[in-house]
Amino acid sequence: MGECGLSTAGRTTRPRAVPELHVPHSRVGVSALCPCSQEPSPDNEGALHSSFCQLIEEQSSLVAGPSALLPSLDPIASTGLEPEQGEQHPGYATTLRILANMPSRTIGRSRGAIISQYYNRTARLRRRSSRPSLQQLNRTARPSLRQFDLESDPAHATLADKQSLLAKELLSLPPAQRSQVLMEVPLSLEEKRSLRMPSLCPHPPQGCRTLWYRFLALVHAAQPWHYALKQISGRFGSSVLSYFLFLKTLLLFNIISFLLLLVFVVALQAAYPPAVASPPPFTGLELLTGVGSFTHSLLYYGYYSNTTLNDPSASSPSGSTSPSRATQLPYNMPLAYMFTIGASFFATCILLMYSMYHSFLKSYRVGSSTGVLAIKIFSAWDFKVVQRHSVKLQSENICTQLKELLAEQRLRSCPLSLPQRLRHITVLLLAWLLALGTVLGCVVAVYYFSEHMHTVSTQEGVLLALPLIVSLLNTLMPHFYNLLAAWEKQDSPAAEVYVAILVLGLLCYQWLSRRLICSCWETCVGQDLYRFVVMDFIFTLLDTGFGELLWRLILEKKLKSKRRPEFDIAQNVLELIYGQTLTWLGVLFAPLLPAVQVLKLLLLFYIKKTSLMQNCQSPSKPWQASHMSTVFITLLFFPSFLGAAIFVSYTIWWEKPSETCGPFRGLQTIYQTPKVWVELLEESNPNIAWFSWIPQYLVENTVFLFFLSGIVLAVIYFNIQVLRGQRRIICLLEEQIANEGEDKKFLIQKIHSIYDRKVPRGKCWGSAGMESHCAPLLRAGAGGWE
Amino acid sequence: MGNKQTIFTPEQLDAYQDCTFFTRKEILRLFYRYRDLAPQLVPLDYTSKPNVTLPYELIGSMPELKDNPFRQRIAEVFSESGDGNMTLDDFLDMFSVLSEMAPRDLKAYYAFKIYDFNNDDYICKSDLEKTVNKLTRNELTPEEVSLACEKVIYEADLDNDGKLSLEDFQHMIIRAPDFLSTFHIRI
């Protein structure tokens, strides 16, 4: 056992393996150890003792002044060693210095240790095994030293050797992985360059790398708002920044949907406009209501034709096709419409799941959730905040939070008495009932109001009433919930989203049941959704104006207070989620709705940023930015996107499209379109009859779907079990680390007890004393070699 | 994007791109930021690898660092000589580690070095006390500071030696999901 600890400091003698002296399993307490059976034989003990003795002599001659005790003596003394041993033993300081040279301790400082650690990692990377193979784990779960071949162990090579070893390993990796390893090694840039040098020689695929870097540079250059975001984070920190980053993510989703729809549906329909009656003149009200001149435009479903565009068989009977049209590509508009909507939903789904995966990766905690104070101290300071006043506020916040945490830990020792607990429970229950009651109340109110609206004559301005009421509710409810949260001293921002989602669910049901009233019901639904989107934008502006601007003016002028309103992150993010749900619901009925949403988000960014800079102050409540970002993106996926996807799927599979307008008129359901197309294909070319096999046996076959779901569930279950196993391994490893600490203490005690028996106390611990006492032992020890 | 810049050779730029998390454009932008701190000291031509070091006072006066309570430690950790005076390599290294793309382990390694005020490879109680005082601008009472430090060591010290080693620190940081977003400077 001593060999490992002694190896890094240049030892002169190399004792052969000492089989009898093995480290007793650390689960056995020190006191329980029977000295007679576990004690090594005098010969071997002498060998160990003499080599250690020499080592200490070397170390103490290297280090200035063996009498100077390390300042960190106290913590060691407090961790269980007997006090008189710790304080009085003169060799203690050098023992500690030797311990400080052990490989596990030098990773923070010694470049050699870093390089060997990364050598091991790179070698594992090359062998492509990220987890240790099962054969390597012994039953004792504790690696035996005899596994390590000390001769060829790279940890014992010199620094230059280690560097060349690592450089060689890097050479054998593919360039992308090599670059990744280089970027992650915690060495200085100079050393990284020297590690990189040998791998430069064979560089035929240089062109690929430079192309890749240029592509990356372009992608980074396309990042808009870099300075705006820097300004925001400099003054308000990561928490407010997370709102703007969320806005950017939504913008990306909408741009992708919009581009898909533009290229495959809108542009082509615009090139071949159907014959419509002349539209009514444009009045400004159309921008708000979406009816009038907008009704028969590219904005809505009703405009799109249900024929094949540019069909060569439909050309003029005279047969004189103009020679300038070289190719006539027929374009099946209904098919394109359905598939493009499907593709945009699929692309959004993939992107959402990828974002969720990344968020979870960064913010998921494996293991216990203790250590709150330590985590707070080391990760609370937001390095992004640079403005002087915000820095001061941040210090004050951290101070308050630390005081609260310290007070909480003191309070935890005295639990609440029974009446206090009862009071706490009643408050919670009341708050819950109130929240639930208001949600139901809102839903019922909206239901009755919309029923009433449909019986009233539809004048244009009146159409805006329903969206107005819904947006008003969506704006006022969060303020009410904030009050409730302040009362019951808990916040759950997810409660606010349930109001919005329930209201939207109700409205969806209403739209589908309204088919009988409107002649071209898809366009009607599209118009409704357009109005909702526009109203949502107007109300967001009003909320910003009243909530932030007006409130700041009131605080400054009337109440003469220095405080400014704070930016309510949760409410704003939930408004964004609500707006995005509306867009996703409406994509089928109004293909240009993503474009409207893109415009809305762009305007919102600048307006919110300006209002933030002028009116708000930095947040004073602690806000776990990564955790909340994960919550928000999950909320975006789970009720919002999935709900919209279910609604659209239901409409495609079950609802009968209107007879008079749109690309699917005349069909039983929208889903019939590809079936009709496949039948046409079969008629024209009987060889591809197998193509119709796919929808019949794969998509519509319930057995196949069950099978697929079963596989997905099995994969999820497997991953859950793997995660559970990893948690248990973490617990075991933590125990091992604690036990290693015990081992070291045991060894130090043992060595000192050996010394005390061999070298009586009071003798001077100088090199002279060493020689006179160690020489006979050396001889005795040397006798033990051969 | 053509090779119109004459500050670095293409090999130097490739090396920077391989060893840091920055793209070419960001490296050039950082070079100009570095140069703006002292235009008379920093030449516009780095192809001959000049040995230029900017003193700590200039680095610490950057808007991104000037109000950060740990700016001195940051400069000391990333400078080659350990005294806070930085070459361009140190400067790029610093902002690369503090950028968004750096992985958690790398950030944890450097954060550990930053919080280790006495450079003894352990965060002991005195280091923690200095950290807490810098975080709160000395607003907490000494008893509270001492209590907080003891609790931190109790929570995070795994091998019971009374101070935090790098492994203890990294183990604790894994349980702090906000660390990645707070240990980040936008440049």
Side-chain angles (χ1 to χ4, degrees), chain A residues 168-180:
Chain A
K168 252 186 263 168
E169 273 295 331
L170 284 175
L171 252 178
S172 57
L173 286 177
Q177 267 186 336
R178 187 188 316 148
S179 188
Q180 193 68 28

Side-chain angles (χ1 to χ4, degrees), chain B residues 17-154:
Chain B
Q17 278 181 313
D18 268 346
C19 300
T20 65
F21 293 99
F22 293 125
T23 61
R24 183 194 146 98
K25 191 168 162 223
E26 286 164 341
I27 291 170
L28 291 172
R29 186 158 52 91
L30 277 167
F31 171 77
Y32 285 121
R33 288 297 304 270
Y34 184 72
R35 186 162 188 271
D36 285 340
L37 294 172
Q40 68 280 12
L41 286 176
V42 179
L44 268 173
D45 185 4
Y46 254 75
T47 51
S48 50
K49 299 191 206 190
N51 189 7
V52 175
T53 309
L54 289 186
Y56 162 70
E57 290 72 28
L58 288 174
I59 306 279
S61 69
M62 284 182 74
E64 285 86 358
L65 289 176
K66 74 173 161 48
D67 286 311
N68 194 321
F70 299 105
R71 61 185 177 282
Q72 176 141 24
R73 281 300 302 161
I74 296 174
E76 283 171 10
V77 161
F78 285 102
S79 67
E80 217 169 294
S81 44
D83 56 1
N85 305 328
M86 301 178 89
T87 63
L88 178 66
D89 280 355
D90 300 331
F91 189 79
L92 284 173
D93 207 13
M94 172 169 76
F95 283 109
S96 168
V97 169
L98 286 164
S99 75
E100 218 167 7
M101 281 83 66
R104 192 200 313 263
D105 283 341
L106 188 64
K107 288 196 187 208
Y109 175 84
Y110 281 102
F112 178 78
K113 290 187 109 167
I114 287 172
Y115 293 130
D116 180 15
F117 285 82
N118 50 11
N119 277 323
D120 63 348
D121 302 323
Y122 293 104
I123 294 182
C124 54
K125 195 167 171 205
S126 64
D127 292 332
L128 276 173
E129 282 174 1
K130 283 200 200 108
T131 307
V132 174
N133 281 324
K134 276 200 193 286
L135 280 177
T136 58
R137 289 174 174 221
N138 300 315
E139 293 271 328
L140 290 177
T141 63
E143 295 82 33
E144 285 172 331
V145 172
S146 177
L147 180 64
C149 297
E150 275 164 22
K151 286 227 179 295
V152 168
I153 291 182
Y154 172 73

Side-chain angles (χ1 to χ4, degrees), chain A residues 286-314:
Chain A
E286 265 101 21
L287 284 173
L288 284 180
T289 58
V291 294
S293 62
F294 277 5
T295 317
H296 297 286
S297 69
L298 280 169
L299 186 55
Y300 296 117
Y301 170 98
Y303 186 79
Y304 293 85
S305 60
N306 68 332
T307 54
T308 309
L309 300 173
N310 201 13
D311 199 350
S313 59

Side-chain angles (χ1 to χ4, degrees), chain A residues 476-495:
Chain A
L476 291 179
M477 280 294 114
H479 291 294
F480 176 67
Y481 283 130
N482 280 341
L483 281 172
L484 264 186
W487 181 47
E488 69 164 332
K489 294 188 194 53
Q490 260 182 34
D491 33 41
S492 60

Side-chain angles (χ1 to χ4, degrees), chain A residues 288 532-544 600:
Chain A
L288 284 180
F532 270 89
V533 168
V534 170
M535 265 301 134
D536 180 49
F537 178 57
I538 291 176
F539 265 84
T540 313
L541 291 181
L542 283 176
D543 190 31
T544 312
K600 182 179 141 195

Side-chain angles (χ1 to χ4, degrees), chain B residues 158-176:
Chain B
L158 285 175
D159 50 8
N160 286 325
D161 59 356
K163 25 190 196 174
L164 304 183
S165 66
L166 180 63
E167 284 78 29
D168 299 332
F169 187 78
Q170 276 177 333
H171 184 258
M172 182 198 38
I173 286 295
I174 287 175
R175 290 184 270 135

Side-chain angles (χ1 to χ4, degrees), chain A residues 57-357:
Chain A
E57 185 191 342
E58 280 166 31
Q59 286 291 312
S60 37
S61 61
L62 281 173
V63 178
S67 56
L69 292 173
L70 281 177
S72 47
L73 202 53
D74 266 1
I76 299 290
S78 69
T79 50
L81 289 175
E82 297 161 31
E84 62 274 9
Q85 235 181 1
E87 285 156 10
Q88 291 175 16
H89 206 294
Y92 207 67
T94 27
T95 315
L96 285 176
R97 273 192 210 105
I98 293 165
L99 282 178
N101 273 321
M102 289 168 72
S104 63
R105 299 291 174 177
T106 55
I107 284 184
R109 155 170 50 118
S110 141
R111 276 161 52 238
I114 296 173
I115 291 179
S116 22
Q117 187 191 28
Y118 272 84
Y119 168 77
N120 287 330
R121 277 194 202 176
T122 318
R124 251 185 287 149
L125 205 63
R126 185 169 53 80
R127 278 181 257 130
R128 278 189 206 96
S129 58
S130 56
R131 290 185 211 149
S133 62
L134 285 171
Q135 290 92 0
Q136 282 181 12
L137 295 172
N138 291 335
R139 282 181 185 280
T140 59
R142 194 191 167 132
S144 157
L145 276 168
R146 275 170 247 146
Q147 277 184 341
F148 294 107
D149 186 358
L150 293 171
E151 287 285 2
S152 60
D153 193 348
H156 306 295
T158 62
L159 187 62
D161 291 340
K162 287 187 220 185
Q163 269 184 321
S164 61
L165 273 172
L166 183 56
K168 252 186 263 168
E169 273 295 331
L170 284 175
L171 252 178
S172 57
L173 286 177
Q177 267 186 336
R178 187 188 316 148
S179 188
Q180 193 68 28
V181 172
L182 268 177
M183 281 196 248
E184 292 175 5
V185 169
L187 296 170
S188 73
L189 213 54
E190 270 300 321
E191 289 171 8
K192 286 193 209 191
R193 270 202 287 237
S194 66
L195 283 173
R196 190 180 163 266
M197 281 316 278
S199 56
L200 275 184
C201 308
H203 59 191
Q206 194 73 332
C208 301
R209 274 229 329 268
T210 41
L211 271 177
W212 172 244
Y213 281 140
R214 288 202 182 167
F215 173 70
L216 270 183
L218 266 178
V219 166
H220 278 258
Q223 297 258 345
W225 303 322
H226 175 85
Y227 286 111
L229 290 175
K230 188 175 163 184
Q231 221 183 340
I232 292 170
S233 65
R235 216 176 117 184
F236 296 95
S238 312
S239 47
V240 173
L241 187 70
S242 63
Y243 167 77
F244 290 91
L245 290 175
F246 190 72
L247 204 152
K248 234 173 87 169
T249 317
L250 284 182
L251 194 68
L252 176 73
F253 290 152
N254 283 303
I255 286 180
I256 289 179
S257 295
F258 171 58
L259 283 177
L260 273 174
L261 282 165
L262 183 74
V263 167
F264 290 106
V265 172
V266 176
L268 286 153
Q269 189 64 65
Y272 295 95
V276 283
S278 61
F282 178 78
T283 62
L285 203 58
E286 265 101 21
L287 284 173
L288 284 180
T289 58
V291 294
S293 62
F294 277 5
T295 317
H296 297 286
S297 69
L298 280 169
L299 186 55
Y300 296 117
Y301 170 98
Y303 186 79
Y304 293 85
S305 60
N306 68 332
T307 54
T308 309
L309 300 173
N310 201 13
D311 199 350
S313 59
S315 58
S316 55
S318 62
S320 57
T321 49
S322 48
S324 59
R325 251 188 225 169
T327 49
Q328 287 215 341
L329 293 167
Y331 194 77
N332 193 341
M333 179 52 83
L335 205 62
Y337 196 94
M338 191 184 129
F339 278 146
T340 313
I341 302 271
S344 79
F345 266 89
F346 186 68
T348 314
C349 184
I350 298 286
L351 279 174
L352 256 178
M353 285 180 35
Y354 182 73
S355 310
M356 263 173 59
Y357 163 73

Side-chain angles (χ1 to χ4, degrees), chain A residues 449-486:
Chain A
F449 190 75
S450 63
E451 290 285 316
H452 175 72
M453 284 309 304
H454 294 145
T455 53
V456 171
S457 69
T458 52
Q459 192 200 356
E460 271 204 27
V462 173
L463 286 171
L464 290 173
L466 183 61
L468 203 111
I469 296 290
V470 174
S471 292
L472 197 71
L473 281 176
N474 275 328
T475 315
L476 291 179
M477 280 294 114
H479 291 294
F480 176 67
Y481 283 130
N482 280 341
L483 281 172
L484 264 186

